[in-house]
Amino acid sequence: MNSLRPSNEPAADLDEASRVEVPRVFRPQRALPADAVRPTRAEVNLANLRHNLRVAQRAAPGAAIWGVLKADGYGHGSKAVARTLERAGMSGVCVALLEEGIELREAGIQLPILIMGGYYGRAWAELVRHELTPVLHEESQVRLLADELRHAGVAGFKVHLKIDTGMSRLGVLPDAVEQVGELVRSRPEIALEGLMTHLSNADSGDAASVDRQLQLFSRARATLQSLGLEPRALHAANSAALLGYPSARYSMVRPGIALFGVDPCAPTALAAFPERSGELRPVMRVRTEVVALRKLSPGTPVGYGGSFRASRLSVIATIPMGYADGLSRGLSNVGHVLVRGTRAKIVGAVSMDMTMIDVTDAPGVQLGDECVILGHQKGPCGEDAIGAREIADQLRSIPWEVLTSISRRVPRFYREP
Ligand SMILES: *Cc1c(COP(=O)(O)O)cnc(C)c1O
């Protein structure tokens, strides 16, 4: 895992001119698994990752899968994930930041990489240098990039154009498509490879909203077609649309969370998709070990502020994972952890580096016993699993936030079962 060695050096091989102009682009850092002393770690199951890619391929036959690996691959480590999926036959990668794209290129990823966040600052030259594909969403960007390309003597540089069909976040508004299209057509430096939009309601079962957005998308496509622009990659589908709306699949799809084994639809919304098979497999498992144990008599307070008091003779275990690791403080006195194959409640306030759990009902707990924060565990007391959806519900959040919250301090271990 040498490629995971932390590095905060600026991108190498900048020439003198760009050294002055181009802002330094830093790479996200990550602990090296071999350096880990603490037993707290995230295990990333690469076989399950490949399985989920096959599920996505079967759901969208004929469409190119460009997996979304932003935010360090939803917390799983984008380099290892990209390398695995590249070898497994994925067609492309999407990230949010230019920095994320550069990190993957420098790690040797050769797939096309789409930068979806649409922000390039003054670093347009970095796109060309690293062969990254920008998403353009504003007229001014077409001019800036085309000028940069002309200076660099580059023609036919691939870009994707984003249309805002209802998300009100990023994208050319429908009534400006013609104007932007004309500009794109007038600049031979730019080749329109892709046309995209993003759906705001694909995970809620609101089919009417999806249809409205897709209609506006079709209209934008027809407008460009009338100008002679025919992008070959059309894409709108995130995981929820890929799994739930065949009409949103076009020639390319952009699943993120489904690749990591989490269904994007809340159980309440799943009723809208009765044929959904539920064959995704979770990729991340977060585990640690008991590092301290004590017996408390009734009335003894636990943790900062004493927000929990033992109501009976209790056995309380301490685990070395806290909110700085991504075990949210919102789980204080609410969440659970698996130990010996059964649930133990989090008691007292989650602190920065440690959390206490009530193991009174899991007899026989000893120092060094494994505790699972996220994922499956089998033990002498039974078998159970805690999913990202369960934790998200307890935090009134979403599984995306749960996965991306597992912090850099938790080393990732990659498993090939
Ligand atoms: C994050 C993102 C996706 C992937 O979404 P999932 O719900 O995780 O599949 C796709 N497209 C865009 C534009 C995104 O920002």
Side-chain angles (χ1 to χ4, degrees):
M1 283 296 153
N2 277 334
S3 59
L4 297 185
R5 189 170 289 282
S7 167
N8 58 1
E9 290 153 27
D13 78 349
L14 295 180
D15 60 33
E16 277 311 312
S18 58
R19 204 183 292 277
V20 180
E21 281 178 25
V22 176
R24 280 152 62 96
V25 175
F26 291 92
R27 282 169 269 173
Q29 292 183 25
R30 142 160 332 283
L32 189 67
D35 295 341
V37 172
R38 199 170 59 146
T40 305
R41 57 183 189 243
E43 297 168 349
V44 177
N45 185 319
L46 298 175
N48 285 0
L49 181 69
R50 283 190 296 267
H51 167 86
N52 296 332
L53 175 65
R54 289 192 294 273
V55 172
Q57 284 166 333
R58 276 200 299 274
I65 310 253
W66 288 41
V68 179
L69 308 185
K70 58 193 176 186
D72 203 22
Y74 289 44
H76 295 67
S78 64
K79 290 186 278 196
V81 167
R83 200 171 296 134
T84 302
L85 294 175
E86 179 170 47
R87 285 187 191 139
M90 194 165 74
S91 304
V93 172
C94 305
V95 291
L97 312 186
L98 179 57
E99 296 89 311
E100 293 172 334
I102 293 172
E103 183 186 26
L104 291 178
R105 270 290 175 264
E106 290 184 340
I109 300 302
Q110 294 182 358
L111 292 174
I113 298 176
L114 186 68
I115 313 294
M116 299 194 301
Y119 182 77
Y120 311 98
R122 292 182 296 112
W124 295 100
E126 297 287 294
L127 287 167
V128 183
R129 183 194 317 281
H130 297 283
E131 290 183 64
L132 302 169
T133 307
V135 167
L136 304 184
H137 54 91
E138 261 189 355
E139 203 177 320
S140 63
Q141 295 185 311
V142 179
R143 292 183 213 285
L144 287 166
L145 176 60
D147 290 348
E148 179 74 39
L149 293 168
R150 187 156 44 81
H151 288 133
V154 177
F157 190 71
K158 290 174 186 163
V159 306
H160 290 210
L161 186 65
K162 184 162 191 182
I163 312 297
D164 179 2
T165 58
M167 182 78 180
S168 301
R169 187 174 74 174
L170 210 63
V172 176
L173 289 168
D175 57 13
V177 170
E178 183 163 12
Q179 195 177 327
V180 176
E182 275 169 357
L183 180 62
V184 168
R185 195 178 52 174
S186 74
R187 304 303 302 254
E189 299 88 357
I190 288 177
L192 187 61
E193 177 189 56
L195 185 68
M196 69 185 286
T197 193
H198 192 45
L199 302 171
S200 56
N201 276 300
D203 59 350
S204 65
D206 182 352
S209 159
V210 173
D211 287 344
R212 266 196 307 279
Q213 286 198 255
L214 295 183
Q215 263 176 34
L216 286 173
F217 190 50
S218 296
R219 236 174 275 166
R221 180 190 183 187
T223 302
L224 293 174
Q225 215 163 14
S226 71
L227 298 172
L229 292 168
E230 304 222 26
R232 67 174 179 80
L234 292 176
H235 48 113
N238 54 8
S239 298
L242 162 67
L243 297 172
Y245 294 98
S247 58
R249 285 168 202 156
Y250 301 102
S251 58
M252 169 179 156
V253 293
R254 310 186 303 264
I257 196 127
L259 292 175
F260 301 106
V262 178
D263 196 297
C265 290
T268 46
L270 266 178
F273 308 102
E275 75 290 0
R276 181 77 59 88
S277 64
E279 54 188 334
L280 297 171
R281 296 182 189 155
V283 174
M284 192 194 289
R285 181 173 183 271
V286 180
R287 55 87 72 197
T288 186
E289 291 170 11
V290 173
V291 294
L293 267 175
R294 65 208 63 238
K295 279 205 177 83
L296 300 186
S297 49
T300 312
V302 174
Y304 286 119
S307 66
F308 175 85
R309 274 176 196 276
S311 61
R312 54 179 175 170
L313 185 62
S314 302
V315 186
I316 302 297
T318 303
I319 58 173
M321 178 166 185
Y323 59 77
D325 300 299
L327 176 57
S328 172
R329 195 165 174 282
L331 294 172
S332 302
N333 295 308
V334 172
H336 292 89
V337 163
L338 301 179
V339 57
R340 291 175 73 76
T342 190
R343 274 162 194 260
K345 193 164 184 192
I346 293 174
V347 290
V350 171
S351 47
M352 188 185 288
D353 320 300
M354 283 176 263
T355 298
M356 281 70 82
I357 56 175
D358 184 347
V359 296
T360 315
D361 298 326
V365 172
Q366 297 189 353
L367 290 181
D369 277 359
E370 184 191 67
C371 297
V372 171
I373 288 83
L374 174 70
H376 174 266
Q377 191 193 45
K378 197 171 176 174
C381 299
E383 184 174 357
D384 208 343
I386 294 176
R389 174 71 61 183
E390 174 184 333
I391 297 172
D393 287 347
Q394 288 167 337
L395 295 170
R396 274 185 257 124
S397 178
I398 53 173
W400 291 258
E401 189 176 21
V402 171
L403 293 179
T404 55
S405 295
I406 302 302
S407 79
R408 198 172 76 180
R409 200 165 73 168
V410 178
R412 272 62 170 173
F413 280 61
Y414 295 93
R415 286 186 42 201
E416 283 284 8

